Amino acid sequence: MSVNKELQQRYSEYSAALDQAALLTRLITAMEKGELTDELLEHTPELAEVKKLNDKLKYRKSILEKSIAEQAAKNKKNGVKASAPTDSKSTAPADKKAKNDGKTGGAAPKQSKKVDYVTVEDFGSSILGRLQKLFKTAIADAFPGLDLPLLLAETPNPQFGDYQCTSAMPIAAKLKSTGVNKKPGDVAKEIEAKLPTNVDFIEKVNVLPAGFMNIFLNKDYICKQISQLASKGITLPKVAKKRVLVDFSSPNIAKEMHVGHLRSTIIGDSICRLFEAVGFDVLRVNHIGDWGTQFGMLIAHLYDRFPDFLKKLPDIADLQAFYKESKKRFDEDEVFKKRAYECVVKLQSHEEEIVKAWNTICDVSKKYNQIVYDHLDIKIKDVGESFYQDKMVELIKWIKENKPDMIREEEGRLIMFPSECTVPLTVVKSDGGFTYDTSDLAALKYRMLEEKVDWNIYVVDAGQNLHLESIYAAGRDLEWYDINIHRVEHVGFGLVLGEDRKKFKTRSGETVRLLDLLSEGVKRATEKLKEKGREAVMTEEELAAARDAVAFGCVKYADLSHTRTQDYVFSFDRMLDDRGNTAVYLLYAYARIRSIVRTSGITDAQLAEYVSKNPILPLNHPAELKLAKQLLKLSDCILQVLDSLMLHQMCDYVYQLATLFHDFYNECYVIEKKDGEPPVVHFHRLALCEVTANVISTCFKILGIREVPKM
Amino acid sequence: MAKKEDLILLGLSESKAAETLKNAKLTETIGTIIASAKQAGEINKPRGNLLYQLATKLKPQVAPSAPLVVKYIMNDGIKTEPQLSAAIEYLLSNTVKGIEVSAFEKSCGVGVVVTIDDIEDAVTKVIGEHREKIVAERYSFPVGKLLGELRALLPWADGAVTKKEVDLRFLELLGPKTAEDLAPKKKEKKAEAPKAAKDTAKTNGTSSSSDNKKKEAASTVEADFSEGAETMDELLRTRAHFHKVGENFKTDGYVTTPKTAELLKAHVAAVGGKVVTRFPPEPNGVLHIGHAKAININFGYAKAMGGVCNLRFDDTNPEKEEEKFFTAIEDIVNWLGYNPARVTHSSDNFEQLYLWAVKLIEKGHAFVCHQKVEEMRGFEVQLSPWRERPIEENLQLFEDMKHGKFDEGEATLRLKLTLEEGKVDPVAYRIKYVPHHRTGDKWCIYPTYDYTHCLCDSIENITHSLCTKEFQSRRSSYYWLCNALDIYCPVQWEYGRLNVNYTVVSKRKILKLITTKTVNDWDDPRLFTLTALRRRGIPSEAINRFVAKLGLTMSQMVIDPHVLDATVRDYLNVHAPRTMAVLDGLKLTIENFAELNLPSTADVPDFPSDPSDPRKHSVSVDKEIFIEKTDYKPDDSDKSFRRLTPKQSVGLKHIGLVLRFVKEIKDAEGHVTEVVVKAEKLTEGEKPKAFIHWVAKPVSAEVRLYDRLFKSKNPEDAQAVPGGFLSDINTDSLTVLYNALIDRSIAASKEYDRFQFERIGFFCVDKDSSDAKLVFNRTVMLKDGGAAGGK
């Protein structure tokens, strides 16, 4: 038996070694080919884990896409036209919003139709926009009358080309429901046949049997576009010009601006910048709260505290405290209360001295607000509630004359039930006074009929949604505007939260004053720059510029980079981190790119000459091409944000651009230094750097971030 | 609640009353019965006795009708136990249809008076009919049979009186019992089963309990197969006391609703009055010996009752399913000799199940919950804070789950229901972002076992839902769910699970054994998967008989592998032909071979134990033969050694030769390479002490000898095996002999051909065999361990 045993042992050792060798060979082959074989996954548990997660996410994506398609079909049946949901991102916030509405009870009457308000005249360097147009036309040619949303998106895996159109599957399904049996693959082939040939930017379209259409971009086209961007500068898509009013910031007089006003101010300004960038005529409107009964007590208190206010602008250091004092007296002192009411009556009858007092208070308040606006580079024009005082009287008259059926009297009040609204608007109170409903209606009427704006955008917190949608519904009922032409939209946003995920407060529990917050930002930015040893290499002015750019840029960027409709946590530590999606990271990246060009020793003229001689830049390295493609997406990004007014999409874009540049710079020498030889400058890469910096600069301008060439 | 005095009033002894009081449920029933009885009159001893019987026999579904029976007991309308039984039976049968008092009275013989004369007449008649036989068989005549006939004649007669009368007549007829009458009865059947029974089958009621003391006590119980039968058919016809088709409501614990009667009527029509069962494996692993019991019971019961059995793949968990398991399972079911009437899949019903889930939500029976799995498990589980959310919200959230709006684990659908074991609100649906091999990417919510199982049973109109005892605690949720949806509700019957010692059967653990190369694959013959057993050479008939012998007990049994081996041996002994093979050969040269004038071949019977069996095969005879090395000893010191030594002769089986030692031939290292012998014909006079097997002109083959894979009885017991089951591996569980010698007559065998290698054991041809070389697996050893090759 012992010989047998030994034989058995030797044999099993030999075959085990053989198996092991064969296994390793298989694993290496699989790795080289990039094939995720079961065996490979078994030996790389982390990879297996990640693959599993990836598979699940893909599966979930397909389920979500199907659900959206189902919902779209259902909506269509019910007569609701669906927006073209190209990705699930744009639907997620909508859901969240819907849920919030559900909580507050009584859904807002939504404009039931989604209209494309952006008319593109020239897509510029936009690829997605052009592709969508091509495919929409081809599908309409091949399968007229189907009316399904186009499914076309970037592909995560270069194996499947740059973009992928998956419309063939829903089309095949739709055809099947009408009794036509066609495989998705055949549908895709028919679509392909209708695509124009020789499209300059498409290299090829691969149709897979399952119906996927993989689109590969033409390399030369990309190289040409980059060369043009380098020679002619950044061009944005051309969009039909609009007259646009953006209502944002809107603080109350006599109360200091606090963190609650931060989001409206930052988002509103950025939206204005975007509109201005594409050449719109923009009215930046501050609908300040400068009218109301509280002015009676403030004026009365002003007379007592600063009797000589008519001669000299009173020195009210702390308006907040002034407000509190007068409120206390108003609540406790009956005589004072009476005087305060008298002041209100006098103000409403425009008694000169009282109006002066009112102006004084407004001026003090506005002076303070202006400091904040200056820090944040914000321009805005006050058209406050006081502006609409006479217009409200006119409004009631107008309604009574033109649309008497719309209002009705109830318990002495005049109320109005706009279509699909469960809560009525109170137009005139029982005491004859007006409400916010009245002033907002008057403002809407003025903006649409007198200012004649095409778009009227309200940047107001999400909590006001129900109110605003009711006002819009009333506006539609009163036929002040046509939703097919006029875009009247509430751009809502979530709360600013503290790091404890509760409403942002000071340690003592008070609301945070905006000015204090910004000062804190400056302090933190100074520390950050010191920590990096910047003061050693920069002049005092450069340092100050960098400090302010960091301090105010980080606050703005943190706000803009979060999905607008959701709450976000305010954290200086996070927004000043120089890694991750922060202004600091981007500012560093930008300064670095500029410095690469600056220190290359190549003059602008030399570079311009090179570019003019190379209308097709020789981009070959995968990292170069990846970066180039991202650069060309700027136009897509602009068009997308014009439609969604979601600025985080632009933040995502520029952040991705910065990381791709980082990858590019790690893999490709711009200036190659070899021992003993003079450095070689790769001009095409230098051009790529220049274009990247310019694109980032363009984004900074829209986001309202000050760029600094040195950090 | 009844008090002790009440119980004594019913005629219970002091101690019995105290015992009864411990049973809260029974005590409560007795309490209500006594309460209503006291209103009707005085409880005397016979009445008390009947009332107590009523309390113990009453099934919950007819409890509301108890006062009716009490009334008749108290007015002496029901006076005997047979009457009482008939009364209860009537209630049970008619509770669904509605109870009519006149029919009730008739059914239990209210008002019927049986006199002593009636009984005497009836006994005279019945004994007269059997007189001859009684005289011949005397007291061994089955009295039970007579009593049965008497019961049919006089259903309401007092059984005790009748029995007394019969005994009296026997005495008259036969006289007192003689010594012969008192001697133990001879068994009529030949004792063939006891052989196997004596194989010390050990059953163990508590199985894997870590309570050692209990285990020792339990494992000393010898299984005698007393609960079992020789075949599944016999077992299920005689021992399975399940309800009749359509009489679901007669079983314990069945819950009836106003719709039950109507649903049962439709159900009976749908199945045509025939039994429908199902075998519902999850297609996420291969079947093991435990499944053999489930297959046999489900398919067997349907077969015995003339019904049908479905094979249903319970494929509700897409993560673990693989196509190969489906085919393997069906293959094994066929191998065990059963053909499913239909092959169904739980996933076929996903759409219906989803619609029912929506219906449950609409009825307020289910809610969407966001508790994490950890929060739902363990003791003192907090009730879900989402239990009372509005129906509308639940409907919307369930749609959201279906549409992919939640991540895995973020939401589940739960049923509002508490299970017996205290588990609250079982999960009905969970989110999994995994495609299903049959429904593709249609769903991302998948139903759970608890939710799916009973509903699929209902859809398939299963009459008897047979399952292992672990599921007893799910029975109430099973009934609740069917009733909540107003659909046909099958009856769940449980039986004890079958486990085997010295092995593991969980899929995960077997997979671990495979990945650690401890075993080669799912069908490695050392495992107890059914494919492994098949490969080892165990015939399906033996497995079925093994299951049949274990019976339909409720207790979980843990069986030692050798109990199965014994059944296998019994079967193979009469089914596997014998042949001679030498596992580890020693060459013998018969120096006087030419003088013997033997033919070049000899005939050997295939089944020598049965001389009437004509089957035979022929073996070569030659000058050079091979015997087992262990059948030769070069010295004579061991007196107990009975085979070939230099001084001791030995016989060769089947050709009647006796060999005597001549000389040893050794190689350079001194090992014996050959023994030269002299042969002579066997004569009557001088018989050698032993006859050994041999081969001539043999063919080489590979033989694999298997032993237990684990050293411990229960490798999963953390106390006995603290290092985990992988630390308990018996490293010598496989011995491969590369140069065994087989007779040429079996050289052309095919996979699964089975043989008894004489004096060694039973072997089966393995699938690894090639034309060049056969590979044999040792299925089981002979009972005495075999002459060679063992350890």
Side-chain angles (χ1 to χ4, degrees), chain A residues 46-78:
Chain A
E46 281 174 28
L47 180 65
E49 196 62 29
V50 176
K51 181 179 181 295
K52 197 172 148 196
L53 188 66
N54 187 250
D55 287 345
K56 285 193 176 220
L57 286 170
K58 277 188 199 154
Y59 189 79
R60 185 172 181 192
K61 182 168 166 258
S62 80
I63 292 273
L64 281 166
E65 276 168 0
K66 248 185 348 193
S67 307
I68 291 166
E70 265 171 40
Q71 188 61 45
K74 226 187 266 174
N75 288 352
K76 194 164 167 258
K77 225 168 137 190
N78 299 336

Side-chain angles (χ1 to χ4, degrees), chain A residues 423-447:
Chain A
V423 184
L425 295 172
T426 304
V427 188
V428 182
K429 292 194 285 185
S430 52
D431 64 0
F434 297 134
T435 66
Y436 280 121
D437 294 345
T438 330
S439 63
D440 283 332
L441 277 172
L444 179 61
K445 176 167 171 277
Y446 174 76
R447 290 170 185 180

Side-chain angles (χ1 to χ4, degrees), chain A residues 320-332:
Chain A
Q320 204 83 16
F322 183 81
Y323 183 91
K324 276 185 188 159
E325 277 166 32
S326 62
K327 181 84 173 78
K328 195 166 177 251
R329 290 181 69 193
F330 184 82
D331 290 342
E332 292 169 2

Side-chain angles (χ1 to χ4, degrees), chain B residues 607 609-615:
Chain B
F607 296 94
S609 56
D610 180 2
S612 65
D613 194 320
R615 284 174 285 177

